[in-house]
Amino acid sequence: MTAPALLLLAAQPTLLCEIKEKEINESSGLAASRAADRVWYTHNDSGDKPRFFRFDESGRVTATFTLKGAKAIDWEDMAAARVKGTNWIYLGDIGDNGRIRKTITVYRVREPRAKAKSGDLDKFDEWTIKYSDAPHDCEALMVHPQTGDLWLVTKDRGEGTLVFVVRRPKGKGVQTAERVGSLTIPFKGLGAGMVTGGDISPDGRKVAIRTYAGALEFTVAKSFDTWFKGSGKKLAPAAEAQGEAIAYSRDGARLITSSE
């Protein structure tokens, strides 16, 4: 049973709901619907099928969607964004604990209609991505709402927290994630610097990053490409056994976290 918690921007976090669905046992990714208020999506960590779940703020799962023909090696994060008038769901098969994967994969599918029932989705984009330097373990996938750029923030395993971007991915060829910098994580303790999720606000003006120990919110200056160069505002972590995901609400006013 997972327990997404409402993380207030200026106060201690409060419990939003518990997802009472046995099929969701490791909420690794989280995203807010761009079509409807108080509607959310999540997916499991590695070991599950290529599927994601829709739930409301009472914790009730309202639909399960499977990407027909897709793979789920290690889904670690998801994102939602309205890009050029279309609402999209992005799913990141980006985990790589051993840092041995030559390529990773991001799937993009149109957000299902609000009243859509559970079922298979057979129309989606599949982007194969390689890093510009070497394989990395990554659990944070973010999408810029104006450009559609994919942002990846690695999980520090002794090499620092690195930031990569895939500019306007398209087509079926291999896309390159270019390294653009690194991120300073101020938290201390075991696993405190390991990034496990991230999100960009719907208006593109804020970026939230979380680790096992806490969360940071960055305010975008003139250029979005420099968002990670600031210090970030520390946010109080929720009381979670193993915090995995973070996402802005549809209006950008709230941050929600979820735990395995």
Side-chain angles (χ1 to χ4, degrees), residues 79-97:
R82 183 174 179 82
V83 181
K84 296 182 179 180
T86 300
N87 296 325
W88 298 102
I89 299 291
Y90 300 76
L91 298 140
D93 192 346
I94 57 178
D96 186 9
N97 290 334

Side-chain angles (χ1 to χ4, degrees), residues 54-149:
R54 184 181 67 206
F55 67 96
D56 60 27
E57 291 193 359
S58 72
R60 180 175 64 97
V61 172
T62 58
T64 302
F65 303 103
T66 300
L67 300 191
K68 187 177 180 180
K71 296 180 180 179
I73 297 173
D74 192 358
W75 284 21
E76 285 292 353
D77 201 9
M78 68 185 304
R82 183 174 179 82
V83 181
K84 296 182 179 180
T86 300
N87 296 325
W88 298 102
I89 299 291
Y90 300 76
L91 298 140
D93 192 346
I94 57 178
D96 186 9
N97 290 334
R99 289 174 287 178
I100 59 174
R101 297 177 65 176
K102 294 182 179 180
T103 60
I104 54 177
T105 304
V106 172
Y107 298 99
R108 184 183 74 166
V109 63
R110 288 179 183 267
E111 181 180 344
R113 302 186 314 276
K115 295 184 179 180
K117 298 181 180 180
S118 299
D120 291 344
L121 304 176
D122 56 8
K123 294 182 179 180
F124 53 85
D125 296 308
E126 179 179 345
W127 293 320
T128 301
I129 297 168
K130 69 174 182 178
Y131 291 101
S132 56
D133 49 5
H136 299 281
D137 190 21
C138 183
E139 295 189 11
L141 167 68
M142 306 182 294
V143 179
H144 192 278
Q146 278 79 51
T147 65
D149 292 346

Side-chain angles (χ1 to χ4, degrees), residues 1-245:
M1 188 179 294
T2 54
L6 176 61
L7 182 61
L8 301 177
L9 298 184
Q12 290 297 315
T14 58
L15 180 66
L16 174 63
C17 66
E18 291 185 358
I19 305 177
K20 299 177 176 64
E21 170 58 62
K22 294 181 180 179
E23 294 295 310
I24 304 175
N25 53 22
E26 293 184 281
S27 177
S28 185
L30 192 65
S33 168
R34 290 301 183 262
D37 290 328
R38 302 184 183 279
V39 174
W40 296 84
Y41 297 97
T42 189
H43 64 79
N44 282 319
D45 208 324
S46 59
D48 196 17
K49 303 172 184 177
R51 61 180 178 172
F52 62 99
F53 306 86
R54 184 181 67 206
F55 67 96
D56 60 27
E57 291 193 359
S58 72
R60 180 175 64 97
V61 172
T62 58
T64 302
F65 303 103
T66 300
L67 300 191
K68 187 177 180 180
K71 296 180 180 179
I73 297 173
D74 192 358
W75 284 21
E76 285 292 353
D77 201 9
M78 68 185 304
R82 183 174 179 82
V83 181
K84 296 182 179 180
T86 300
N87 296 325
W88 298 102
I89 299 291
Y90 300 76
L91 298 140
D93 192 346
I94 57 178
D96 186 9
N97 290 334
R99 289 174 287 178
I100 59 174
R101 297 177 65 176
K102 294 182 179 180
T103 60
I104 54 177
T105 304
V106 172
Y107 298 99
R108 184 183 74 166
V109 63
R110 288 179 183 267
E111 181 180 344
R113 302 186 314 276
K115 295 184 179 180
K117 298 181 180 180
S118 299
D120 291 344
L121 304 176
D122 56 8
K123 294 182 179 180
F124 53 85
D125 296 308
E126 179 179 345
W127 293 320
T128 301
I129 297 168
K130 69 174 182 178
Y131 291 101
S132 56
D133 49 5
H136 299 281
D137 190 21
C138 183
E139 295 189 11
L141 167 68
M142 306 182 294
V143 179
H144 192 278
Q146 278 79 51
T147 65
D149 292 346
L150 307 181
W151 288 81
L152 300 163
V153 181
T154 66
K155 190 174 186 179
D156 185 3
R157 294 190 179 276
E159 59 188 4
T161 303
L162 309 180
V163 182
F164 291 82
V165 62
V166 182
R167 304 288 186 188
R168 297 174 175 80
K170 60 181 179 180
K172 296 183 179 297
V174 177
Q175 320 282 324
T176 299
E178 296 289 350
R179 179 175 170 178
V180 293
S182 60
L183 185 64
T184 300
I185 303 295
F187 306 119
K188 304 296 182 182
L190 183 64
M194 290 187 169
V195 172
T196 59
D199 198 22
I200 299 171
S201 64
D203 62 8
R205 296 178 180 178
K206 302 279 188 179
V207 178
I209 296 292
R210 73 158 304 162
T211 74
Y212 290 127
L216 295 171
E217 185 176 45
F218 298 85
T219 298
V220 176
K222 294 182 179 180
S223 172
F224 185 86
D225 285 3
T226 62
W227 68 264
F228 53 89
K229 294 184 178 181
S231 58
K233 176 185 176 182
K234 292 183 181 180
L235 302 178
E240 297 169 317
Q242 184 171 318
E244 285 289 329

